[in-house]
Amino acid sequence: MAGEYKVKLNEDILTAMFLQYIGVYWAVYFKEKFLDMYDGKLWENRELISYGTFDYIRREFHRSAFLTMLPNSMSSQDNTQLDEYVKIVSDIESQDELKQDEDVSQTVSFEHSANSKAFIVESDGMEENLKSTTEMPLPVPGIEIDFKQNFLHVLSTEIRLNQVIHPNLTMTVVQTEFETLTSSIRHEPILATMEFLGVSESWLNFFRKFLKPKVIFPGDRTVYEVRRGTPSDHVLSQLFSECLLFIMEFQLNSRVQKVQLYRISDEFWYWNQNTTHVLLAWKIINKFADFVGLKLNENRSGSLSVDSDEKLSKLGQIDTQISKMMGPKPLPQRGIHWGYLNLFSDGTFRIDQNSTENFIAELKEHLNKADSVLTDTMSYWKCYSLSALLYLKYTH
């Protein structure tokens, strides 16, 4: 449905647990080493940044978003959402208790029309039924969603600061991502990167076996060997991607220190007032993609020149409400689009009405197909509402 092919292996539980443990162990190790490099002298000239300045605040936010796909520690793999689940269940039970107080000792009868069987549920047993219902997994906002919200706030703030402090300078914003990173990434660059980072030959052989498993497809008894891509839903796969992308970020930081690359998984954002720096960063990203055999997603790539209202008026862009000036070539000549939001050259995000109407039509179609109220509600909440509310939130 999302237009992306992902490889998922049907493993036995012991193999999956073993690979998870190994993946987390290595991911924690590399994240610690990469953060040491980030905090050291190898990563830009940090001693020139004073505490409390704009640059210091920018760096701290960027560090909080650095390598977020990798776990911080082995203990971080505990159920991080347990507190959220407990809170949600507690709130639901509190509401149900209030309802029960209104109908104390009332007996509720349910008749099942499908098999003509009737059963009685006493009020004393209602609590157990409620608990079994509320134990269903409920979607809650996670770290990635929180970062996306904070990131858009930071981007909007940076744009506003540039408009006020440097009203005559154009800020160029660039957005891009790799197309099908996990399913198309080549194995050779992964293994070469891990060897360069000091991984021993025995572990390289282990990683090679993980990357090139023998697989059988349903209905086909032929044994195939995977030659490209990494299995989805594995920490080891995330580790390999993060190690490769760290090399790219390190190179970009070394050559264009004035540009901060903000990354959400395999999606990149950066901006700057200096066109030369912006174009050089774009060149580095494209060169890295060619080197490792990846391709940038043209449909998710865009650039935009953002100016103050005063400068837009001087440039002849009288109607700033609909002004969208793309960045200079060879930057992607498409607008900046985030879910159901569009970024305009006056620095504001506005709802994309066409995408919103398509979303509503698709949501109605799914809800009309639901055969029960519960399915109706879960379909809306689990599949759509979180993403919709996330994107629409920034218009207020």
Side-chain angles (χ1 to χ4, degrees):
M1 292 181 65
E4 181 177 350
Y5 177 77
K6 292 185 177 181
V7 179
K8 294 182 180 292
L9 300 180
N10 186 16
E11 306 152 321
D12 62 87
I13 186 65
L14 291 179
T15 301
M17 292 174 62
F18 172 72
L19 291 175
Q20 176 73 8
Y21 181 86
I22 295 297
V24 173
Y25 182 88
W26 274 105
V28 170
Y29 173 81
F30 272 112
K31 185 170 186 177
E32 180 182 351
K33 299 305 179 183
F34 289 159
L35 285 175
D36 288 342
M37 295 177 62
Y38 183 90
D39 293 330
K41 295 182 179 180
L42 290 176
W43 201 276
E44 75 179 28
N45 201 359
R46 296 189 174 279
E47 60 268 17
L48 298 180
I49 300 178
S50 301
Y51 178 82
T53 61
F54 282 148
D55 287 337
Y56 178 85
I57 296 173
R58 290 188 183 102
R59 189 192 71 186
E60 289 303 302
F61 177 76
H62 187 268
R63 190 187 190 281
S64 69
F66 193 64
L67 300 173
T68 53
M69 299 301 294
L70 299 182
N72 294 319
S73 63
M74 298 294 289
S75 61
S76 67
Q77 293 303 287
D78 296 339
N79 190 354
T80 57
Q81 296 183 343
L82 181 60
D83 293 339
E84 292 287 347
Y85 280 98
V86 171
K87 183 178 182 300
I88 292 174
V89 172
S90 178
D91 292 342
I92 294 176
E93 290 180 343
S94 298
Q95 295 175 7
D96 291 329
E97 288 176 0
L98 292 176
K99 292 180 181 180
Q100 289 179 22
D101 290 340
E102 298 176 1
D103 303 311
V104 177
S105 302
Q106 181 178 2
T107 301
V108 184
S109 300
F110 300 93
E111 182 172 353
H112 197 290
S113 59
N115 53 16
S116 301
K117 292 182 180 180
F119 59 93
I120 305 298
V121 180
E122 300 294 335
S123 60
D124 293 337
M126 183 67 75
E127 183 178 357
E128 289 300 321
N129 285 276
L130 289 172
K131 286 184 178 180
S132 63
T133 302
T134 55
E135 284 174 359
M136 297 176 62
L138 297 172
V140 296
I143 295 176
E144 185 175 346
I145 291 179
D146 293 338
F147 172 67
K148 287 181 178 179
Q149 293 175 345
N150 293 332
F151 169 76
L152 283 189
H153 292 159
V154 169
L155 174 56
S156 299
T157 303
E158 290 282 7
I159 290 174
R160 186 57 181 157
L161 282 173
N162 184 71
Q163 290 173 327
V164 173
I165 300 176
H166 306 289
N168 295 321
L169 292 181
T170 298
M171 172 181 283
T172 304
V173 183
V174 180
Q175 170 196 21
T176 189
E177 72 170 20
F178 287 126
E179 185 175 318
T180 60
L181 173 63
T182 57
S183 58
S184 62
I185 191 171
R186 292 165 49 199
H187 295 163
E188 291 77 9
I190 292 177
L191 295 172
T193 299
M194 303 308 290
E195 182 179 6
F196 172 77
L197 294 174
V199 176
S200 65
E201 186 62 31
S202 59
W203 277 108
L204 287 175
N205 290 332
F206 178 86
F207 293 155
R208 189 176 291 109
K209 291 180 180 179
F210 170 80
L211 291 170
K212 299 178 179 295
K214 302 294 191 297
V215 296
I216 300 176
F217 292 94
D220 185 358
R221 302 185 67 87
T222 306
V223 179
Y224 299 91
E225 181 183 77
V226 176
R227 297 184 178 181
R228 193 162 184 157
T230 56
S232 301
D233 303 328
H234 277 281
V235 181
L236 274 176
S237 299
Q238 295 177 350
L239 170 65
F240 297 148
S241 299
E242 290 293 319
C243 287
L244 275 176
L245 296 180
F246 173 82
I247 299 297
M248 183 194 71
E249 289 188 61
F250 182 81
Q251 183 185 19
L252 192 149
N253 177 265
S254 300
R255 297 183 61 186
V256 198
Q257 291 189 3
K258 298 298 182 181
V259 174
Q260 286 276 37
L261 186 71
Y262 292 87
R263 185 161 58 86
I264 306 174
S265 185
D266 57 347
E267 182 177 356
F268 313 106
W269 291 70
Y270 67 92
W271 52 84
N272 201 269
Q273 299 94 337
N274 190 313
T275 304
T276 303
H277 291 162
V278 173
L279 294 178
L280 179 56
W282 181 251
K283 180 180 179 180
I284 292 173
I285 293 175
N286 278 269
K287 186 176 180 180
F288 174 83
D290 293 338
F291 180 74
V292 298
L294 294 173
K295 182 181 178 181
L296 295 178
N297 189 341
E298 296 181 357
N299 295 326
R300 295 292 302 274
S301 300
S303 64
L304 195 72
S305 297
V306 181
D307 290 290
S308 62
D309 291 344
E310 179 183 354
K311 186 172 181 180
L312 288 174
S313 299
K314 292 180 180 179
L315 294 173
Q317 302 290 335
I318 304 300
D319 190 356
T320 59
Q321 299 295 322
I322 59 174
S323 174
K324 295 178 70 174
M325 299 185 299
M326 309 308 167
K329 293 183 179 181
L331 296 178
Q333 298 300 295
R334 296 172 61 93
I336 299 292
H337 194 271
W338 183 294
Y340 305 105
L341 297 178
N342 280 328
L343 178 62
F344 288 78
S345 290
D346 63 348
T348 58
F349 282 96
R350 294 187 179 87
I351 296 176
D352 183 343
Q353 294 297 338
N354 292 332
S355 297
T356 304
E357 290 172 1
N358 293 335
F359 162 76
I360 294 174
E362 185 178 358
L363 178 59
K364 285 182 178 180
E365 181 181 353
H366 279 267
L367 295 179
N368 290 335
K369 292 180 180 179
D371 54 4
S372 67
V373 175
L374 181 60
T375 304
D376 204 43
T377 304
M378 294 300 293
S379 176
Y380 169 77
W381 174 253
K382 191 172 184 179
C383 300
Y384 296 99
S385 62
L386 277 179
S387 59
L389 291 175
L390 169 65
Y391 297 134
L392 297 180
K393 174 179 178 180
Y394 301 103
T395 63
H396 299 292

